[in-house]
Amino acid sequence: MRIFRIIEKDEPSHWAPYDGWLKANGKRDPKWWERAIDTFIHSELLFLKLPALFLNPFVARRTDWADAQEPAQRLATPLPAGL
């Protein structure tokens, strides 16, 4: 949380860049239940899904590039004129 407080203080225009736009265009602030749902979804991602994905010892790690089997000749072919 400390880094977010520093960004908020040092660069307020980067802290919440859309707040000014929302207020200038007459948009309403989010309701309490909208914030609660956002908090729940982000917490679930941060504390459950991402750790399960990255810290799972049973998931095999990649040993090659995803496109390693594609023919390099096709990738190196120049584009036709006019494109």
Side-chain angles (χ1 to χ4, degrees):
M1 291 302 297
R2 184 172 177 235
I3 187 69
F4 295 116
R5 282 190 227 107
I6 292 170
I7 294 170
E8 183 180 17
K9 179 181 154 204
D10 289 348
E11 299 194 39
S13 66
H14 290 72
W15 171 244
Y18 300 110
D19 282 347
W21 184 88
L22 291 172
K23 289 176 184 171
N25 289 288
K27 305 298 179 191
R28 67 172 176 79
D29 288 333
K31 305 282 186 195
W32 69 269
W33 57 271
E34 292 170 327
R35 287 195 183 270
I37 291 170
D38 283 346
T39 301
F40 171 76
I41 291 171
H42 289 103
S43 298
E44 181 185 26
L45 282 171
L46 185 63
F47 296 115
L48 294 176
K49 293 185 178 182
L50 289 176
L53 178 66
F54 289 105
L55 301 176
N56 187 345
F58 302 107
V59 175
R61 302 298 180 223
R62 275 192 126 24
T63 58
D64 61 347
W65 293 100
D67 62 351
Q69 301 302 320
E70 291 185 16
Q73 189 67 15
R74 181 175 55 110
L75 298 173
T77 305
L79 293 174
L83 288 181

